[in-house]
Amino acid sequence: MTESATNDNNIQSAMIPTHVAVIMDGNGRWAQTRALPRHAGHRSGVRSVREIVETAAKRGVSYLTLFAFSSENWKRPAEEVSRLMSLFLEALQREVDDLHRNNVRLTFIGAREELQAGLIRKISTAEKKTRNNTGLNLIVAVAYGGRWDIVTAAKNLATKVLNQELSVADIDDTKLAGELALAGVPDPDLLIRTGGEQRVSNFLLWNLAYAELWFCDSLWPEFGERQFDEALSFYASRQRRYGQSGNQFGVA
Ligand code: FPP
């Protein structure tokens, strides 16, 4: 850790998590407490997305993964699902040029084939446009579920075994991780969940194995730079052991 390496929040850069994952919860409740329809909450949530992307980039986070739509969210009322899809499309149309100017590399994870053709096209175009950017890696999980991810990886490994490209004895953590949606991306160091619930809700089940978990009561549309910095401060205060004892880290 270098003493001079500080950011706006005075958290030394060595203490900044490489990868932050976020469960953006509470849009519906935010809207309901204002007597607004739920989609107004999602719309307002896009503002928080923009602020968190900017803050994460400023703080030196390398990867930011946002849970925008889960495998289970398809069970929501058709009108809410349809408005959410329109919102993703609109946000992509509006924000991609700006993200590109800011050197952000945008990728999507999830069962993409379940999405509408127009959205799939926009996603591919955005990914192609930003793929050589070297700043923040923004990963948006849409139609994503942690169990779907592990099942897909297991199927890929089984296919490789059937094709005699791989033997069962060679299957290990690294091989399975290499088939997951986040293959090649370091595991999240910090998981943030807004909206007062303390659950992982089928997000990145494999990858969150050693993540520090930070929960807050703020509803997603209320979440901004200040709360993100609180999560970073919490992270900076944690001692990560990866299953080893405190003594092995020189702490009783
Ligand atoms: C959870 O709140 C939120 C979602 C299911 C959608 C998240 C989507 C956005 C923030 C919009 C845009 C995102 C991007 C990446 C452009 P909830 O509806 O479950 O809230 P509740 O728990 O209060 O009902």
Side-chain angles (χ1 to χ4, degrees):
M1 196 189 307
T2 57
E3 281 189 4
S4 58
T6 57
N7 61 29
D8 301 1
N9 192 38
N10 280 333
I11 298 170
Q12 284 165 320
S13 61
M15 302 290 221
I16 294 287
T18 301
H19 185 171
V20 179
V22 187
I23 300 178
M24 309 180 286
D25 197 13
N27 292 345
R29 277 165 286 159
W30 182 90
Q32 274 156 3
T33 55
R34 286 160 181 78
L36 294 169
R38 291 177 62 83
H39 62 83
H42 297 314
R43 192 161 283 281
S44 184
V46 179
R47 279 202 296 270
S48 298
V49 169
R50 196 174 309 126
E51 184 166 335
I52 292 319
V53 168
E54 278 169 21
T55 308
K58 269 197 288 184
R59 300 288 180 263
V61 169
S62 301
Y63 297 87
L64 178 68
T65 302
L66 304 178
F67 204 7
F69 191 86
S70 72
S71 311
E72 291 71 33
N73 285 154
W74 289 118
K75 295 181 207 141
R76 291 195 176 196
E79 197 203 327
E80 183 175 350
V81 170
S82 152
R83 283 187 180 268
L84 265 170
M85 294 299 147
S86 306
L87 193 61
F88 296 147
L89 196 68
E90 222 181 89
L92 262 179
Q93 257 154 227
R94 206 182 43 231
E95 307 289 346
V96 167
D97 287 345
D98 209 30
L99 291 171
H100 187 47
R101 264 194 302 279
N102 285 292
N103 200 22
V104 173
R105 183 167 183 265
L106 179 63
T107 50
F108 285 75
I109 56 170
R112 191 175 299 199
E113 65 284 357
E114 293 175 3
L115 305 174
Q116 297 148 356
L119 183 54
I120 297 174
R121 273 197 302 275
K122 280 269 176 292
I123 286 174
S124 304
T125 308
E127 287 179 332
K128 278 195 198 110
K129 184 167 190 160
T130 63
R131 77 174 154 211
N132 294 321
N133 289 345
T134 54
L136 175 72
N137 286 280
L138 173 60
I139 301 163
V140 182
V142 178
Y144 176 86
R147 289 182 176 177
W148 163 85
D149 200 358
I150 295 170
V151 168
T152 306
K155 284 181 180 165
N156 292 345
L157 290 178
T159 306
K160 286 186 177 171
V161 170
L162 276 177
N163 293 340
Q164 299 186 334
E165 294 162 29
L166 181 69
S167 71
V168 171
D170 286 339
I171 296 177
D172 58 8
D173 282 22
T174 311
K175 290 274 185 327
L176 197 134
E179 300 295 338
L180 292 170
L182 288 185
V185 172
D187 283 346
D189 305 291
L190 171 66
L191 171 75
I192 295 174
R193 180 173 185 148
T194 64
E197 307 291 354
Q198 304 199 350
R199 293 192 283 270
V200 173
S201 295
N202 199 20
F203 192 34
L204 301 174
L205 294 180
W206 176 282
N207 318 71
L208 289 172
Y210 290 103
E212 299 293 334
L213 310 179
W214 190 79
F215 302 102
C216 72
D217 289 332
S218 303
L219 303 172
W220 179 251
E222 301 161 346
F223 192 84
E225 182 165 359
R226 183 177 62 78
Q227 291 89 340
F228 191 78
D229 281 342
E230 260 179 57
L232 293 186
S233 298
F234 157 83
Y235 177 79
S237 74
R238 305 302 299 165
Q239 180 206 12
R240 304 186 76 202
R241 295 180 183 167
Y242 300 97
Q244 298 181 60
S245 72
N247 290 341
Q248 291 170 288
F249 285 81
V251 181

